[in-house]
Short mmCIF file of all heavy atoms in Angstrom, two decimals:
data_model
loop_
_atom_site.label_atom_id
_atom_site.label_comp_id
_atom_site.label_asym_id
_atom_site.label_seq_id
_atom_site.Cartn_x
_atom_site.Cartn_y
_atom_site.Cartn_z
N ALA A 21 69.67 90.18 146.34
CA ALA A 21 70.15 89.97 144.98
C ALA A 21 71.02 91.13 144.55
O ALA A 21 70.79 92.26 144.95
CB ALA A 21 68.97 89.81 144.04
N ASP A 22 72.01 90.84 143.74
CA ASP A 22 72.92 91.86 143.24
C ASP A 22 72.25 92.61 142.10
O ASP A 22 72.01 92.06 141.04
CB ASP A 22 74.21 91.20 142.77
CG ASP A 22 75.23 92.22 142.26
OD1 ASP A 22 75.05 93.42 142.52
OD2 ASP A 22 76.18 91.79 141.62
N THR A 23 71.94 93.87 142.32
CA THR A 23 71.27 94.68 141.30
C THR A 23 72.26 95.50 140.48
O THR A 23 71.86 96.20 139.56
CB THR A 23 70.24 95.62 141.94
OG1 THR A 23 70.91 96.48 142.86
CG2 THR A 23 69.14 94.85 142.64
N GLU A 24 73.52 95.43 140.79
CA GLU A 24 74.53 96.23 140.09
C GLU A 24 74.55 95.97 138.59
O GLU A 24 74.61 96.92 137.81
CB GLU A 24 75.92 96.05 140.69
CG GLU A 24 76.99 96.93 140.06
CD GLU A 24 76.65 98.42 140.10
OE1 GLU A 24 75.99 98.86 141.06
OE2 GLU A 24 77.05 99.15 139.19
N PRO A 25 74.50 94.72 138.12
CA PRO A 25 74.49 94.51 136.66
C PRO A 25 73.31 95.20 135.97
O PRO A 25 73.46 95.76 134.89
CB PRO A 25 74.42 93.00 136.50
CG PRO A 25 74.98 92.47 137.77
CD PRO A 25 74.58 93.46 138.85
N ILE A 26 72.15 95.18 136.60
CA ILE A 26 70.98 95.84 136.01
C ILE A 26 71.19 97.35 136.01
O ILE A 26 70.94 98.01 135.03
CB ILE A 26 69.70 95.46 136.79
CG1 ILE A 26 69.40 93.98 136.57
CG2 ILE A 26 68.52 96.33 136.36
CD1 ILE A 26 68.29 93.45 137.42
N ARG A 27 71.66 97.89 137.11
CA ARG A 27 71.90 99.32 137.20
C ARG A 27 72.93 99.77 136.15
O ARG A 27 72.75 100.76 135.47
CB ARG A 27 72.37 99.69 138.61
CG ARG A 27 72.52 101.18 138.83
CD ARG A 27 72.82 101.50 140.29
NE ARG A 27 71.71 101.04 141.13
CZ ARG A 27 71.84 100.21 142.16
NH1 ARG A 27 73.00 99.73 142.50
NH2 ARG A 27 70.80 99.84 142.86
N ARG A 28 73.99 99.00 135.99
CA ARG A 28 75.04 99.33 135.02
C ARG A 28 74.48 99.26 133.59
O ARG A 28 74.71 100.16 132.78
CB ARG A 28 76.23 98.40 135.18
CG ARG A 28 77.41 98.73 134.32
CD ARG A 28 78.65 97.87 134.59
NE ARG A 28 78.35 96.45 134.81
CZ ARG A 28 78.45 95.81 135.99
NH1 ARG A 28 78.85 96.44 137.05
NH2 ARG A 28 78.17 94.55 136.09
N ALA A 29 73.73 98.22 133.27
CA ALA A 29 73.15 98.07 131.93
C ALA A 29 72.17 99.19 131.64
O ALA A 29 72.15 99.75 130.54
CB ALA A 29 72.49 96.72 131.79
N ALA A 30 71.33 99.52 132.61
CA ALA A 30 70.36 100.58 132.41
C ALA A 30 71.05 101.92 132.18
O ALA A 30 70.63 102.70 131.33
CB ALA A 30 69.40 100.67 133.61
N THR A 31 72.11 102.17 132.89
CA THR A 31 72.85 103.41 132.71
C THR A 31 73.46 103.47 131.32
O THR A 31 73.40 104.51 130.65
CB THR A 31 73.96 103.54 133.77
OG1 THR A 31 73.36 103.54 135.06
CG2 THR A 31 74.76 104.82 133.59
N GLU A 32 74.00 102.37 130.84
CA GLU A 32 74.56 102.34 129.49
C GLU A 32 73.48 102.60 128.45
O GLU A 32 73.69 103.34 127.49
CB GLU A 32 75.23 101.00 129.23
CG GLU A 32 76.51 100.81 130.02
CD GLU A 32 77.06 99.40 129.95
OE1 GLU A 32 76.56 98.61 129.13
OE2 GLU A 32 77.99 99.09 130.70
N VAL A 33 72.31 102.01 128.64
CA VAL A 33 71.22 102.21 127.69
C VAL A 33 70.73 103.65 127.74
O VAL A 33 70.46 104.26 126.70
CB VAL A 33 70.07 101.22 127.96
CG1 VAL A 33 68.86 101.56 127.11
CG2 VAL A 33 70.53 99.80 127.67
N LEU A 34 70.61 104.22 128.92
CA LEU A 34 70.16 105.60 129.04
C LEU A 34 71.05 106.55 128.25
O LEU A 34 70.57 107.50 127.65
CB LEU A 34 70.17 106.04 130.52
CG LEU A 34 68.99 105.57 131.34
CD1 LEU A 34 69.24 105.90 132.82
CD2 LEU A 34 67.71 106.17 130.88
N ASP A 35 72.33 106.26 128.21
CA ASP A 35 73.26 107.11 127.48
C ASP A 35 73.12 106.94 125.97
O ASP A 35 73.62 107.76 125.21
CB ASP A 35 74.70 106.79 127.88
CG ASP A 35 75.00 107.21 129.31
OD1 ASP A 35 74.26 108.06 129.84
OD2 ASP A 35 75.96 106.68 129.88
N ASP A 36 72.45 105.90 125.53
CA ASP A 36 72.40 105.56 124.10
C ASP A 36 71.00 105.61 123.50
O ASP A 36 70.81 105.14 122.38
CB ASP A 36 72.95 104.16 123.89
CG ASP A 36 74.43 104.06 124.20
OD1 ASP A 36 75.12 105.09 124.08
OD2 ASP A 36 74.87 102.98 124.59
N ASN A 37 70.00 106.14 124.16
CA ASN A 37 68.65 106.00 123.63
C ASN A 37 68.20 107.19 122.77
O ASN A 37 67.03 107.44 122.64
CB ASN A 37 67.63 105.66 124.72
CG ASN A 37 67.44 106.77 125.71
OD1 ASN A 37 67.89 107.88 125.52
ND2 ASN A 37 66.78 106.46 126.79
N VAL A 38 69.16 107.87 122.16
CA VAL A 38 68.85 108.90 121.18
C VAL A 38 69.57 108.49 119.92
O VAL A 38 70.72 108.12 119.95
CB VAL A 38 69.36 110.28 121.65
CG1 VAL A 38 69.18 111.32 120.57
CG2 VAL A 38 68.64 110.70 122.93
N GLY A 39 68.85 108.51 118.81
CA GLY A 39 69.50 108.15 117.55
C GLY A 39 68.47 107.77 116.52
O GLY A 39 67.31 108.18 116.57
N THR A 40 68.89 106.95 115.58
CA THR A 40 67.99 106.48 114.53
C THR A 40 66.98 105.51 115.14
O THR A 40 67.20 104.98 116.23
CB THR A 40 68.77 105.75 113.43
OG1 THR A 40 69.31 104.54 113.98
CG2 THR A 40 69.88 106.62 112.84
N PRO A 41 65.87 105.24 114.44
CA PRO A 41 64.94 104.24 114.95
C PRO A 41 65.61 102.91 115.26
O PRO A 41 65.34 102.31 116.31
CB PRO A 41 63.91 104.12 113.83
CG PRO A 41 63.87 105.49 113.23
CD PRO A 41 65.33 105.92 113.24
N ASP A 42 66.51 102.45 114.40
CA ASP A 42 67.21 101.19 114.67
C ASP A 42 68.02 101.27 115.96
O ASP A 42 68.03 100.33 116.75
CB ASP A 42 68.16 100.83 113.52
CG ASP A 42 67.42 100.37 112.28
OD1 ASP A 42 66.24 99.96 112.38
OD2 ASP A 42 68.03 100.41 111.19
N GLU A 43 68.70 102.39 116.18
CA GLU A 43 69.51 102.55 117.39
C GLU A 43 68.63 102.60 118.64
O GLU A 43 68.98 102.03 119.67
CB GLU A 43 70.35 103.81 117.29
CG GLU A 43 71.44 103.73 116.23
CD GLU A 43 72.10 105.06 115.91
OE1 GLU A 43 71.49 106.13 116.17
OE2 GLU A 43 73.22 105.03 115.40
N VAL A 44 67.50 103.26 118.54
CA VAL A 44 66.60 103.35 119.70
C VAL A 44 66.00 101.99 120.02
O VAL A 44 65.93 101.58 121.18
CB VAL A 44 65.50 104.42 119.46
CG1 VAL A 44 64.47 104.40 120.57
CG2 VAL A 44 66.14 105.80 119.35
N VAL A 45 65.60 101.26 118.98
CA VAL A 45 65.06 99.91 119.21
C VAL A 45 66.10 99.03 119.88
O VAL A 45 65.82 98.33 120.85
CB VAL A 45 64.56 99.27 117.88
CG1 VAL A 45 64.29 97.79 118.05
CG2 VAL A 45 63.32 99.98 117.39
N THR A 46 67.33 99.08 119.40
CA THR A 46 68.40 98.28 120.00
C THR A 46 68.61 98.67 121.46
O THR A 46 68.76 97.81 122.33
CB THR A 46 69.71 98.48 119.21
OG1 THR A 46 69.51 98.00 117.87
CG2 THR A 46 70.86 97.73 119.84
N ALA A 47 68.60 99.97 121.75
CA ALA A 47 68.78 100.42 123.13
C ALA A 47 67.65 99.95 124.02
O ALA A 47 67.87 99.48 125.13
CB ALA A 47 68.89 101.94 123.16
N LEU A 48 66.41 100.05 123.53
CA LEU A 48 65.28 99.63 124.35
C LEU A 48 65.25 98.12 124.54
O LEU A 48 64.86 97.61 125.59
CB LEU A 48 63.97 100.13 123.73
CG LEU A 48 63.81 101.66 123.74
CD1 LEU A 48 62.55 102.08 123.00
CD2 LEU A 48 63.81 102.20 125.15
N GLN A 49 65.69 97.37 123.55
CA GLN A 49 65.79 95.92 123.70
C GLN A 49 66.83 95.56 124.75
O GLN A 49 66.71 94.55 125.44
CB GLN A 49 66.08 95.26 122.35
CG GLN A 49 64.89 95.30 121.42
CD GLN A 49 65.22 94.88 120.00
OE1 GLN A 49 66.35 94.95 119.56
NE2 GLN A 49 64.19 94.44 119.30
N ALA A 50 67.86 96.38 124.88
CA ALA A 50 68.86 96.15 125.93
C ALA A 50 68.24 96.30 127.31
O ALA A 50 68.59 95.58 128.25
CB ALA A 50 70.04 97.11 125.76
N TYR A 51 67.30 97.23 127.46
CA TYR A 51 66.55 97.33 128.72
C TYR A 51 65.86 96.00 129.01
O TYR A 51 65.95 95.46 130.11
CB TYR A 51 65.45 98.39 128.64
CG TYR A 51 65.85 99.79 128.99
CD1 TYR A 51 65.76 100.79 128.05
CD2 TYR A 51 66.27 100.13 130.26
CE1 TYR A 51 66.09 102.10 128.35
CE2 TYR A 51 66.60 101.43 130.58
CZ TYR A 51 66.50 102.40 129.62
OH TYR A 51 66.83 103.69 129.93
N ALA A 52 65.14 95.50 128.03
CA ALA A 52 64.39 94.26 128.21
C ALA A 52 65.32 93.10 128.59
O ALA A 52 64.96 92.26 129.41
CB ALA A 52 63.60 93.93 126.96
N ALA A 53 66.51 93.08 128.02
CA ALA A 53 67.46 92.01 128.32
C ALA A 53 67.90 92.01 129.77
O ALA A 53 68.33 90.98 130.29
CB ALA A 53 68.67 92.13 127.40
N THR A 54 67.79 93.16 130.43
CA THR A 54 68.17 93.22 131.86
C THR A 54 66.99 92.89 132.77
O THR A 54 67.14 92.89 133.98
CB THR A 54 68.70 94.63 132.23
OG1 THR A 54 67.64 95.58 132.14
CG2 THR A 54 69.86 95.03 131.37
N GLY A 55 65.81 92.69 132.17
CA GLY A 55 64.64 92.38 132.97
C GLY A 55 63.71 93.56 133.18
O GLY A 55 62.66 93.43 133.81
N ILE A 56 64.06 94.70 132.65
CA ILE A 56 63.21 95.88 132.79
C ILE A 56 62.04 95.73 131.83
O ILE A 56 62.24 95.46 130.64
CB ILE A 56 64.01 97.17 132.50
CG1 ILE A 56 65.08 97.34 133.58
CG2 ILE A 56 63.08 98.38 132.42
CD1 ILE A 56 66.08 98.43 133.29
N SER A 57 60.82 95.90 132.31
CA SER A 57 59.65 95.68 131.47
C SER A 57 58.85 96.94 131.19
O SER A 57 57.92 96.92 130.40
CB SER A 57 58.73 94.63 132.09
OG SER A 57 58.29 95.07 133.35
N GLU A 58 59.21 98.04 131.83
CA GLU A 58 58.50 99.31 131.59
C GLU A 58 59.51 100.44 131.56
O GLU A 58 60.51 100.42 132.28
CB GLU A 58 57.50 99.59 132.71
CG GLU A 58 56.37 98.60 132.77
CD GLU A 58 55.37 98.95 133.87
OE1 GLU A 58 55.37 100.09 134.37
OE2 GLU A 58 54.60 98.07 134.24
N ILE A 59 59.23 101.43 130.71
CA ILE A 59 60.05 102.63 130.65
C ILE A 59 59.12 103.83 130.57
O ILE A 59 57.95 103.70 130.24
CB ILE A 59 61.03 102.65 129.46
CG1 ILE A 59 60.25 102.66 128.15
CG2 ILE A 59 62.01 101.51 129.53
CD1 ILE A 59 61.06 103.08 126.97
N SER A 60 59.66 104.97 130.84
CA SER A 60 58.93 106.22 130.69
C SER A 60 59.71 107.07 129.70
O SER A 60 60.90 107.27 129.86
CB SER A 60 58.82 106.93 132.03
OG SER A 60 58.22 108.18 131.88
N VAL A 61 59.02 107.55 128.67
CA VAL A 61 59.67 108.37 127.66
C VAL A 61 59.44 109.83 128.00
O VAL A 61 58.31 110.27 128.21
CB VAL A 61 59.13 108.05 126.25
CG1 VAL A 61 59.73 108.98 125.21
CG2 VAL A 61 59.37 106.60 125.90
N GLN A 62 60.49 110.59 128.01
CA GLN A 62 60.40 112.02 128.23
C GLN A 62 60.74 112.69 126.91
O GLN A 62 61.78 112.44 126.33
CB GLN A 62 61.41 112.43 129.31
CG GLN A 62 61.21 113.82 129.82
CD GLN A 62 62.12 114.08 131.00
OE1 GLN A 62 63.15 113.44 131.19
NE2 GLN A 62 61.74 115.03 131.82
N TRP A 63 59.82 113.51 126.40
CA TRP A 63 59.99 114.14 125.10
C TRP A 63 60.11 115.65 125.28
O TRP A 63 59.12 116.35 125.37
CB TRP A 63 58.80 113.81 124.21
CG TRP A 63 59.12 113.92 122.76
CD1 TRP A 63 58.89 115.01 121.96
CD2 TRP A 63 59.76 112.95 121.95
NE1 TRP A 63 59.34 114.75 120.70
CE2 TRP A 63 59.88 113.49 120.66
CE3 TRP A 63 60.24 111.67 122.18
CZ2 TRP A 63 60.45 112.81 119.61
CZ3 TRP A 63 60.81 110.98 121.15
CH2 TRP A 63 60.91 111.53 119.88
N PRO A 64 61.35 116.17 125.31
CA PRO A 64 61.52 117.60 125.60
C PRO A 64 61.06 118.53 124.48
O PRO A 64 60.73 119.67 124.72
CB PRO A 64 63.02 117.74 125.84
CG PRO A 64 63.62 116.59 125.11
CD PRO A 64 62.61 115.48 125.16
N GLY A 65 61.02 118.05 123.25
CA GLY A 65 60.61 118.90 122.13
C GLY A 65 59.11 118.86 121.93
O GLY A 65 58.61 118.13 121.09
N ILE A 66 58.38 119.64 122.72
CA ILE A 66 56.92 119.58 122.70
C ILE A 66 56.34 119.81 121.31
O ILE A 66 55.29 119.30 120.97
CB ILE A 66 56.33 120.57 123.72
CG1 ILE A 66 54.85 120.29 123.93
CG2 ILE A 66 56.56 122.00 123.31
CD1 ILE A 66 54.27 120.96 125.14
N ASP A 67 57.05 120.56 120.46
CA ASP A 67 56.59 120.82 119.11
C ASP A 67 57.14 119.83 118.08
O ASP A 67 56.90 119.97 116.89
CB ASP A 67 56.97 122.24 118.68
CG ASP A 67 56.27 123.29 119.51
OD1 ASP A 67 55.15 123.03 119.99
OD2 ASP A 67 56.86 124.38 119.70
N ASP A 68 57.87 118.83 118.55
CA ASP A 68 58.51 117.86 117.65
C ASP A 68 57.53 116.74 117.30
O ASP A 68 57.70 115.59 117.69
CB ASP A 68 59.77 117.30 118.29
CG ASP A 68 60.51 116.34 117.38
OD1 ASP A 68 60.18 116.26 116.17
OD2 ASP A 68 61.42 115.65 117.88
N ILE A 69 56.49 117.09 116.56
CA ILE A 69 55.46 116.11 116.18
C ILE A 69 56.06 115.07 115.25
O ILE A 69 55.74 113.88 115.35
CB ILE A 69 54.25 116.82 115.53
CG1 ILE A 69 53.66 117.86 116.50
CG2 ILE A 69 53.20 115.81 115.10
CD1 ILE A 69 53.25 117.32 117.84
N ALA A 70 56.93 115.48 114.33
CA ALA A 70 57.55 114.52 113.40
C ALA A 70 58.35 113.47 114.17
O ALA A 70 58.29 112.28 113.83
CB ALA A 70 58.45 115.26 112.42
N GLY A 71 59.08 113.88 115.20
CA GLY A 71 59.82 112.93 116.02
C GLY A 71 58.92 111.94 116.73
O GLY A 71 59.20 110.75 116.81
N LEU A 72 57.81 112.44 117.27
CA LEU A 72 56.84 111.55 117.94
C LEU A 72 56.22 110.58 116.94
O LEU A 72 55.97 109.40 117.27
CB LEU A 72 55.76 112.37 118.62
CG LEU A 72 56.18 113.08 119.89
CD1 LEU A 72 55.07 114.03 120.37
CD2 LEU A 72 56.54 112.09 120.98
N GLU A 73 55.97 111.04 115.73
CA GLU A 73 55.42 110.15 114.70
C GLU A 73 56.42 109.05 114.35
O GLU A 73 56.03 107.90 114.18
CB GLU A 73 55.04 110.94 113.46
CG GLU A 73 53.79 111.80 113.67
CD GLU A 73 53.47 112.69 112.49
OE1 GLU A 73 54.33 112.91 111.61
OE2 GLU A 73 52.32 113.20 112.46
N ILE A 74 57.69 109.39 114.28
CA ILE A 74 58.72 108.37 114.02
C ILE A 74 58.75 107.37 115.16
O ILE A 74 58.82 106.16 114.93
CB ILE A 74 60.09 109.04 113.82
CG1 ILE A 74 60.10 109.80 112.48
CG2 ILE A 74 61.21 107.99 113.84
CD1 ILE A 74 61.31 110.70 112.29
N LEU A 75 58.69 107.85 116.40
CA LEU A 75 58.65 106.95 117.56
C LEU A 75 57.46 106.01 117.45
O LEU A 75 57.59 104.80 117.64
CB LEU A 75 58.60 107.76 118.86
CG LEU A 75 58.51 106.96 120.15
CD1 LEU A 75 59.82 106.22 120.41
CD2 LEU A 75 58.18 107.88 121.32
N ALA A 76 56.30 106.57 117.11
CA ALA A 76 55.06 105.78 117.04
C ALA A 76 55.04 104.79 115.88
O ALA A 76 54.49 103.69 116.01
CB ALA A 76 53.86 106.71 116.95
N THR A 77 55.63 105.15 114.75
CA THR A 77 55.53 104.29 113.56
C THR A 77 56.75 103.42 113.32
O THR A 77 56.62 102.31 112.80
CB THR A 77 55.27 105.13 112.30
OG1 THR A 77 56.34 106.05 112.10
CG2 THR A 77 53.96 105.87 112.39
N ASP A 78 57.95 103.89 113.72
CA ASP A 78 59.17 103.17 113.38
C ASP A 78 59.86 102.50 114.56
O ASP A 78 60.75 101.68 114.35
CB ASP A 78 60.18 104.12 112.72
CG ASP A 78 59.68 104.68 111.40
OD1 ASP A 78 58.71 104.14 110.84
OD2 ASP A 78 60.27 105.67 110.92
N VAL A 79 59.47 102.85 115.78
CA VAL A 79 60.11 102.28 116.96
C VAL A 79 59.14 101.38 117.75
O VAL A 79 59.38 100.18 117.90
CB VAL A 79 60.69 103.38 117.87
CG1 VAL A 79 61.26 102.78 119.16
CG2 VAL A 79 61.77 104.17 117.14
N LEU A 80 58.07 101.95 118.24
CA LEU A 80 57.18 101.21 119.14
C LEU A 80 56.63 99.91 118.54
O LEU A 80 56.58 98.89 119.24
CB LEU A 80 56.04 102.12 119.62
CG LEU A 80 56.50 103.30 120.48
CD1 LEU A 80 55.30 104.14 120.90
CD2 LEU A 80 57.30 102.84 121.68
N PRO A 81 56.23 99.88 117.26
CA PRO A 81 55.72 98.62 116.72
C PRO A 81 56.77 97.49 116.69
O PRO A 81 56.39 96.32 116.61
CB PRO A 81 55.29 98.99 115.29
CG PRO A 81 55.06 100.44 115.32
CD PRO A 81 56.07 100.98 116.31
N ARG A 82 58.02 97.82 116.77
CA ARG A 82 59.07 96.81 116.72
C ARG A 82 59.45 96.25 118.09
O ARG A 82 60.30 95.36 118.21
CB ARG A 82 60.32 97.43 116.07
CG ARG A 82 60.04 97.76 114.61
CD ARG A 82 61.12 98.59 113.97
NE ARG A 82 62.44 98.01 114.10
CZ ARG A 82 63.55 98.68 113.82
NH1 ARG A 82 63.50 99.92 113.39
NH2 ARG A 82 64.73 98.09 113.95
N LEU A 83 58.80 96.75 119.13
CA LEU A 83 59.07 96.27 120.48
C LEU A 83 58.04 95.26 120.89
O LEU A 83 56.86 95.36 120.55
CB LEU A 83 59.09 97.44 121.46
CG LEU A 83 60.11 98.54 121.13
CD1 LEU A 83 59.95 99.72 122.07
CD2 LEU A 83 61.53 97.98 121.18
N THR A 84 58.47 94.27 121.64
CA THR A 84 57.56 93.22 122.13
C THR A 84 57.00 93.64 123.48
O THR A 84 57.75 94.00 124.37
CB THR A 84 58.34 91.91 122.32
OG1 THR A 84 58.95 91.56 121.09
CG2 THR A 84 57.43 90.78 122.77
N PRO A 85 55.67 93.60 123.62
CA PRO A 85 55.06 93.99 124.92
C PRO A 85 55.51 93.05 126.04
O PRO A 85 55.75 91.85 125.79
CB PRO A 85 53.58 93.85 124.68
CG PRO A 85 53.38 93.75 123.20
CD PRO A 85 54.68 93.24 122.64
N ALA A 86 55.63 93.59 127.22
CA ALA A 86 55.97 92.77 128.40
C ALA A 86 54.82 91.83 128.68
O ALA A 86 53.67 92.15 128.46
CB ALA A 86 56.24 93.68 129.59
N ARG A 87 55.16 90.67 129.19
CA ARG A 87 54.11 89.67 129.51
C ARG A 87 54.04 89.44 130.99
O ARG A 87 54.90 89.50 131.71
CB ARG A 87 54.41 88.37 128.80
CG ARG A 87 54.35 88.56 127.31
CD ARG A 87 54.74 87.29 126.60
NE ARG A 87 55.00 87.60 125.23
CZ ARG A 87 54.24 87.20 124.24
NH1 ARG A 87 53.19 86.46 124.46
NH2 ARG A 87 54.51 87.51 123.02
#
């Protein structure tokens, strides 16, 4: 199977997954549209508790779990 479209879409999303909660949700939904069902979040700001809280309250609840 040709995996290039998935690789290209994932690369585009990787470049765009920093921003407002709406922008991050849109980027993560683009992953799902390519068939990707799991991601790993890397959080470089270990002391950025406010950012993690935003991720937990404003982003993650808006994503549909993989089935």
Side-chain angles (χ1 to χ4, degrees):
D22 181 15
T23 60
E24 184 56 31
I26 293 172
R27 186 172 298 124
R28 185 174 42 250
T31 300
E32 289 171 10
V33 172
L34 282 171
D35 292 340
D36 294 332
N37 67 12
V38 174
T40 67
D42 287 340
E43 292 168 338
V44 173
V45 168
T46 298
L48 294 175
Q49 288 170 336
Y51 272 119
T54 67
I56 295 170
S57 61
E58 295 181 17
I59 63 163
S60 175
V61 176
Q62 192 172 23
W63 203 264
I66 193 166
D67 295 330
D68 182 12
I69 302 304
L72 286 172
E73 288 174 345
I74 290 170
L75 179 68
T77 60
D78 296 345
V79 175
L80 296 180
R82 295 169 54 192
L83 302 174
T84 304
R87 296 176 194 248

